[in-house]
Every structure is written in C-alpha cells, then in structure tokens.
Amino acid sequence: MADLKWWQTAVFYQIYPRSFADGNGDGIGDFKGMIEKLDYLSDLGVNAIWLSPHFPSPNWDCGYDVADYTNVAPEYGTLEDFKTFLREAHARSIRVILDLVLNHTSDEHPWFLESKSSRDNPKSDWYVWVDKPPNNWQSCFDGEAWTYVPERDQYYYHYFMKQQPDLNWHNPEVKQAMWAAVRFWLDLGVDGYRLDAIGTVYENPDLTPHKVPFDLAGIRRASELAQTPEEKKQIEKYWYDMFRNQWAQPGLHELMKELRTVIDEYQDDRVLVAEDDDIAYLGNGEDELHLVFNFPLMRAERITPSHVRRNQKERLARLEALPVKGWPCNTLGNHDTSRIHTRLCDKQHDAALARLHAALVLTLKGTPFLYNGEEIGMTDLIITDPTKLRDTMATWYYDRLVNELKVDPQEAALRAGEMSRDKNRTPMQWSNNPNGGFSPPNVVTWLPVNPDYRNGINVRDQQNNPNSLLNYYHYLLQVRKDSPALIAGEYLPLNDTARDYLAFVRKTKEQAVLVILNFSEKKLDLDFSRLKEIRGRNLQILFSSAERLKTVKPPNALAINPFEVFLAEVEPKQ
Ligand code: GLC
C-alpha cells in the first residue's frame, strides 16, 4: 500500500456547509459548527472532507453562484474561521478539498459587474456576449440561455440560472484570474478541489440550435408525464439532444491539463476530482484529473448485483487501459440527488438495504465519497409549500407549471417539491431535541428540519444504540481501515451470473478478502468448491451482519442470511 496516494486510501465525506452544523444558532450552518463537529468526523473514521462552496454568494444556487473566490461567506464565518477549520481538520489527519466552480460566477461577482457595464471595459470579454440570441439554447435551470443587459444592449450566455453567467474560458485573462484563486487556497494548505460541472465550460462554437420540440419547462413536464419505457427513452434522448451542443465540447482536456500543472506546482499530492463520470478526464492517467466519480453506479432505480457487476466490469477495464492506470471513485449520494435511503430503498427492507449500500461503497475498489447524513439514514423531505423552497430551479419550475402550463397549483407544488434539491439538503439531524439539535429551539432553520429526527434518525440516539446505522458505518470504516485488501486490493468478481447476491474478492499480495452482499430476502447456500481463490481455505470473519462464529470452515458451502453483509479474510493456503 506504500505506493498509494492519500486520496486513494482515504474515505471522503461531503459537507454541505449550510446544513451541516449551526455553531452560532442562526439557523444556518457555519465554520464554528463544522469545527465543533470535527471530532465526530474523526471518530466516524473519515479521512477527508469535500466542502461544498463556502464563498460569498447571493445564493441563487446555494453557493454555486460565487461572488468572491477568495473569501468566506459572512454567514459561515471569516477567513480566520476557515483557517482554524483547516488547521483543526489537519490536526486530526483529515484532509480538506474545496469546491471549484469554473463554468460561471455569480452575476454579482465584480468581474461580471465590470464586464456588463459597457462593451469596452477591460473585462468586456470575460463572459460570453452576443448581440442577439443566436439560437434556441436553454439554460438547464431557468429556461432561456441568453439574457439581455441594457448597459451593453447585448445578451450573455448562462448554462445555469441567469444569475450564473458563463465565463469565457477562451480568454487567457479568465484563466489567469481563476488560477490565482486556485493558488490562494492551495497556499493556505487545502488539499485539492472537486471541480463543479466541468462539462459545461465550453459551448459548440457553431452555436447549432437544438431540434427538440420542447423548452425547459416543457421537457421537465414531459419527463414527469412519460409512462411507458418507450416514452421515457424518447424523453431521455430529448434531454441529451437539447443540451448536446452546450456540453462536453472541445477544449476541456487542454484546460484540465493546464489546471493539473497548477496543482502540480504543489509537490505534496493535492487532488482534483471532477463532477463528471467520463474517464477521459483522467487524460493519460497522470496529466489531467486524479479522479472522476462513478456516477453510473448510482444512476439506477435499484442497486442490483448485475448492475454493479456490469458497472465494475466496464469502468475498471477502462481505468486499467490508461497508460498510467486510473483509480476508481465511488459514491451513491450527494447534494444534487435524492437521498440514498429514499431513492434506493423499498420501504420494506430499508434498514438492511442501507447497510448493503454502505458496504458496497466501502468495499468496492476505489475512493469512497459519503454525503453528510447518509450515515444516520437521512431521508428526503419533500417541501410542498413553494414559499419554503430555496432551490431556485424548483421555484422557477413551479412558476412555469402554474402560469404557463396551467397545471393545478397543488400538483405543481408537489412536482416542484419533488424535483427540488432542497429535499436532500435539509439540516443535519444531531439529536432528538427540537430542530433536530441543528439549531436552538424556536430558531427558523434555513430549510425545515426533517421531522423524522424524532424517530431515531439523529446522531445522538444512534450513538447510544449499538445496532444503529451510525455505529454500523463506524464499524465498517474501521474494518476497511484495517484491511489492506479492502483499501488497495484488486477486484475479482465471483459467481458472475448470480441475481440475488454480489460476491467478489479484493486482493493484494498480503491479504485476500471475500465480500458477499446478499441483496435478496432469500437464504443462500453458496458453493465455493470450484473457486480456486477460496477452495479449501479457512475464512476469518471480518464483519457479518448475521450472528456468526469467528471462523468459517470448511468454506465450500457457505450459508448466507437474507440481506447479509459478509466480509471475511481468506486465509492463505495451509
Ligand atoms: C453542479 C453542482 C450543483 C450546481 C451546479 C451549478 O452540478 O453540484 O449543485 O447547481 O453545478 O453550479
């Protein structure tokens, strides 16, 4: 394991700052709160934090509209608080990576204020300006992609909200300014970046219009109404066609290479991970990014053994094929996606499925990323009062549904609540005190706290319950930490056609670990007699969600309980 980098052996934990911990009791998370919770994270056993944006922002997109790249949003604290947070995290051997939003700034960023002020100011070319909307392109958040500015009598382009104008990355001055901001935090000691939405940085220079018979509100509504698999497939194609000219355009690999050289100025292993699943962004394996997320793993209605096997086969083969082998990076949830325990569970076996999902991410080959709250089984909270929504893409959609598509307001509110990302961003539930212990009682939190904190979905209750999901995560993280094979081993799939369970071995020179995840309610009798990796060897149990003796022998026929998570070290041949 000695030759692995820290970001290959670490388990990352994503903090969504607004919702993680409210240290000053104003209903919004902050650095004081995050600092107070570092011991919690350290005890849990994570080694690195990805911090969603903490920069000053008017919050049209919850911080992903940055108004100053080198400062801290006042509601989160000061730059000094950030430095304390970083120092205290490092003191606990927890690395910290930040979010880097390259595609756009806030429309309140001084760069944009200057750029929009006239056609001939020094930053006039820092954004994407045109005289007239050249096409029917849509913004993926709020309809028209071109917005008029009277000062210039021109339009600017935005892939996201109109409050998020796209930077012109063809302008070398933009690069220099952004690289300076990148160095600012690296100089302070941060360990790298998660790169936001890199696919959107460039647009097709031909400005080719899309031919989809919908605008944004129309295609969203059509997606909701699609019933049959054919209709759903057609809509998926429409989504792709609508944005294909605004996504993954030439120039990105060169840009990533340039950013990599900036990062490599720091010779102590800083990391870049992209919010993209395209392995091509790893370049030759050492000249672009270090990691891309395995989003195809989480894009499934249910996690099934065959889905995981197909996914691993395809991705690991591509990573292996790079001139310098790439490293996988697995996650099942983040701040943009319905929570794991809502999306991937079935309302019948949720407790068991939650444990299987955690085991999957923590035992597959690659760097795991966890999203704050998943360790206590937080669920989506659908906010059906549109005035309480904070995700502006949802409030925009509500408005269109009611006023343009003439959808009944009650249905519109439900649809907006369902598509809003607020549902998976509600405050972290720390205890069963009012407000889930996130803020003092009677404080109105920035998003409502999910009332299920009263039913044991909170940190304190789970800390006190040895059988809780939190203690399970804690234990599994420890098992992983102590196992060279689970951290570094190759992934060798077993019983390739099994529909009910996933079985694989993770193997290094020094250790082999057998992982069996039974995704079914069936009791299994597994026959390993023909598997040379296992045949005739004792299995030393590392973890089992069923009651077991420490050693299983002989292992040729192994009984696995319904929904069991089974991890065992395969002892070397006698
Ligand atoms: C990324 C972020 C998302 C944000 C968008 C625009 O997808 O994860 O939260 O809204 O980029 O910055």
Side-chain angles (χ1 to χ4, degrees), residues 275-571:
E275 188 209 9
D276 204 292
D277 52 50
D278 189 352
I279 287 167
Y281 290 121
L282 301 185
N284 68 9
E286 59 180 2
D287 63 351
E288 292 190 36
L289 309 180
H290 302 87
L291 295 170
V292 294
F293 286 109
N294 180 2
F295 288 140
L297 179 70
M298 74 185 222
R299 272 191 222 116
E301 275 183 24
R302 290 275 175 273
I303 299 294
T304 62
S306 52
H307 167 69
V308 178
R309 274 194 294 265
R310 263 198 313 272
N311 170 273
Q312 292 297 295
K313 190 170 177 193
E314 194 261 332
R315 292 195 72 87
L316 293 177
R318 284 200 60 201
L319 289 165
E320 294 276 316
L322 294 178
V324 178
K325 275 188 202 170
W327 187 255
C329 176
N330 299 305
T331 187
L332 291 178
N334 59 40
H335 66 296
D336 289 330
T337 322
S338 163
R339 282 199 174 264
I340 302 174
H341 305 285
T342 302
R343 183 169 36 98
L344 298 175
C345 287
D346 65 1
K347 296 204 166 65
Q348 282 182 5
H349 311 100
D350 291 4
L353 287 171
R355 284 159 175 80
L356 283 159
H357 296 142
L360 181 73
V361 171
L362 293 172
T363 59
L364 283 179
K365 183 178 178 187
T367 303
F369 272 66
L370 311 177
Y371 175 49
N372 59 198
E374 74 170 74
E375 73 275 23
I376 53 169
M378 281 180 65
T379 57
D380 286 352
L381 176 68
I382 309 280
I383 298 171
T384 49
D385 174 355
T387 64
K388 293 219 166 83
L389 290 173
R390 295 290 168 266
D391 188 359
T392 50
M393 70 190 277
T395 44
W396 176 87
Y397 184 50
Y398 173 76
D399 177 68
R400 289 303 150 108
L401 279 177
V402 174
N403 295 319
E404 203 175 277
L405 300 171
K406 305 295 175 206
V407 172
D408 168 66
Q410 226 176 336
E411 194 205 330
L414 183 63
R415 294 301 190 181
E418 279 169 348
M419 65 84 76
S420 151
R421 298 166 298 174
D422 291 333
K423 64 180 181 301
N424 46 280
R425 296 174 175 177
T426 57
M428 181 80 181
Q429 297 161 203
W430 291 104
S431 72
N432 63 12
N433 292 342
N435 272 332
F438 175 77
S439 297
N442 305 324
V443 167
V444 180
T445 54
W446 82 280
L447 277 178
V449 177
N450 192 325
D452 66 9
Y453 74 83
R454 298 189 197 107
N455 311 331
I457 305 186
N458 70 71
V459 170
R460 187 166 336 124
D461 283 355
Q462 295 200 17
Q463 278 171 334
N464 295 332
N465 172 1
N467 297 321
S468 68
L469 186 61
L470 179 61
N471 276 318
Y472 169 89
Y473 266 81
H474 179 253
Y475 192 75
L476 217 56
L477 280 159
Q478 191 61 45
V479 169
R480 180 187 158 91
K481 192 167 164 206
D482 294 339
S483 162
L486 287 180
I487 295 174
E490 291 311 310
Y491 162 89
L492 310 169
L494 304 178
N495 292 14
D496 241 5
T497 51
R499 288 171 58 88
D500 296 324
Y501 67 93
L502 183 71
F504 53 90
V505 170
R506 297 286 314 281
K507 193 170 180 202
T508 55
K509 274 196 199 104
E510 65 228 278
Q511 191 191 37
V513 171
L514 169 67
V515 178
I516 301 172
L517 305 178
N518 183 2
F519 281 85
S520 80
E521 24 187 356
K522 294 183 205 152
K523 199 165 172 156
L524 307 172
D525 271 313
L526 305 185
D527 176 7
F528 288 121
S529 60
R530 273 175 305 195
L531 287 174
K532 68 172 180 351
E533 291 86 355
I534 298 170
R535 189 175 50 213
R537 308 196 195 180
N538 284 346
L539 296 179
Q540 192 72 35
I541 311 282
L542 296 179
F543 177 82
S544 165
S545 54
E547 298 259 319
R548 282 182 183 279
L549 297 173
K550 271 249 144 263
T551 309
V552 182
K553 65 178 187 174
N556 289 351
L558 187 60
I560 294 287
N561 282 308
F563 296 108
E564 183 171 348
V565 171
F566 176 90
L567 310 181
E569 182 165 354
V570 185
E571 287 188 347

Side-chain angles (χ1 to χ4, degrees), residues 133-147 156-162 166 200 203 207-220 238-239 241-247 396 400 404:
N135 54 33
N136 59 356
W137 285 359
Q138 297 289 288
S139 132
C140 74
F141 279 6
D142 66 354
E144 292 296 300
W146 304 96
T147 290
Y156 65 88
Y157 171 74
H158 51 98
Y159 185 87
F160 296 98
M161 302 291 303
K162 65 172 178 296
D166 272 45
T200 62
E203 296 73 51
L207 300 170
T208 319
H210 74 78
K211 295 203 182 76
V212 174
F214 292 115
D215 61 8
L216 182 73
I219 195 172
R220 273 204 194 293
Y238 280 155
W239 274 107
D241 286 346
M242 183 176 274
F243 291 104
R244 63 191 295 176
N245 290 303
Q246 299 165 252
W247 184 268
W396 176 87
R400 289 303 150 108
E404 203 175 277

Side-chain angles (χ1 to χ4, degrees), residues 69-190:
Y69 281 86
T70 53
N71 215 332
V72 170
E75 66 268 35
Y76 298 153
T78 62
L79 194 54
E80 281 313 307
D81 295 330
F82 174 84
K83 289 182 191 166
T84 308
F85 168 74
L86 185 63
R87 196 175 55 241
E88 291 294 321
H90 282 167
R92 291 164 179 77
S93 302
I94 295 176
R95 308 270 188 153
V96 178
I97 69 168
L98 303 182
D99 222 305
L100 179 60
V101 186
L102 297 176
N103 177 65
H104 49 270
T105 67
S106 157
D107 65 343
E108 293 183 25
H109 194 293
W111 298 343
F112 187 71
L113 295 178
E114 188 174 343
S115 188
K116 79 167 197 179
S117 66
S118 68
R119 288 193 189 197
D120 54 7
N121 67 74
K123 295 196 174 45
S124 60
D125 189 36
W126 279 40
Y127 293 82
V128 182
W129 293 101
V130 290
D131 290 341
K132 289 265 168 299
N135 54 33
N136 59 356
W137 285 359
Q138 297 289 288
S139 132
C140 74
F141 279 6
D142 66 354
E144 292 296 300
W146 304 96
T147 290
Y148 183 68
V149 166
E151 292 93 321
R152 290 179 62 136
D153 189 21
Q154 279 186 316
Y155 294 75
Y156 65 88
Y157 171 74
H158 51 98
Y159 185 87
F160 296 98
M161 302 291 303
K162 65 172 178 296
Q163 291 83 0
Q164 296 170 288
D166 272 45
L167 282 160
N168 174 14
W169 278 92
H170 297 290
N171 184 335
E173 289 175 15
V174 167
K175 293 184 188 171
Q176 291 324 312
M178 195 62 92
W179 300 161
V182 166
R183 290 189 184 96
F184 173 85
W185 298 103
L186 293 175
D187 289 341
L188 288 182
V190 307

